[in-house]
Amino acid sequence: MEQRTPTEIRREQPGERDAVGQVIRAAFGTDGEQVAALEAALRADRCGRDGCSLVADTGDGVVGQVLITRSWLDAPRELVEVGVLSPLAVAPDHQRRAIGAALVRSALAAAADLGLPAVFLEGDPGYYPRLGFVPGGTRGFTAPSVRIPPAAFQVVTLPAHRDWMTGALVYADVFWELDCVGLRG
């Protein structure tokens, strides 16, 4: 059995941007530049400045990162601020060690602490359900684009969620400006 390296999950620190960018590029392969550009643009946008970036650090440096930014749910009663988990990246030589799962769990806890009622993502329907995600359509949510397969459009509702909070996810402009809707790693 492979020995797991102890990993600390923590908020990203100033000066770790380059390391995070390298992890994203490596994790996403041929799509790495596009995903790194999306992540950088999300951070520069208001939705990213008000969000949460967590990193996984093995003591030898950053080996993973997850970003939760703010978007909106167009609910019948009112517009509701929600979280979007994108991207999640783990350096290829550290994958399959539960680092991604630890990052997601920590990010969901941080989103709950921020009072967000739900966190959405576009992702592998074979990976995220074990972390609590369900297809968004089963909970009354509509994907922001027809380019997102129904099984890939996923959500976790958090303690601040109320039954009336259903409707269409409205991505922050950055996703559209960079044509990163429907992009999955």
Side-chain angles (χ1 to χ4, degrees), residues 41 102 138:
T138 66

Side-chain angles (χ1 to χ4, degrees), residues 90-154:
V90 176
D93 58 341
H94 286 81
Q95 292 177 1
R96 304 201 184 289
R97 298 182 189 181
I99 293 171
L103 282 163
V104 171
R105 286 185 186 104
S106 295
L108 292 175
D113 289 346
L114 290 170
L116 296 175
V119 173
F120 294 85
L121 61 76
E122 296 177 32
D124 181 350
Y127 179 77
Y128 290 99
R130 68 188 178 98
L131 300 171
F133 285 85
V134 297
T138 66
R139 292 287 182 89
F141 300 112
T142 305
S145 171
V146 297
R147 292 187 282 165
I148 304 169
F153 174 61
Q154 299 174 62

Side-chain angles (χ1 to χ4, degrees), residues 49 63 67 76 80 106 130 150 170 173:
R49 290 192 306 270
V63 298
L67 182 66
V80 178
S106 295
R130 68 188 178 98
V170 180
D173 289 344

Side-chain angles (χ1 to χ4, degrees), residues 34 37-38 40-47 72 147 171-183:
Q34 186 177 16
L38 171 65
L42 284 166
R43 287 171 171 281
D45 189 71
R46 177 204 163 266
C47 68
W72 300 270
R147 292 187 282 165
Y171 273 152
D173 289 344
V174 171
F175 284 97
W176 304 103
E177 290 165 359
L178 296 178
D179 194 18
C180 288
V181 177
L183 177 68

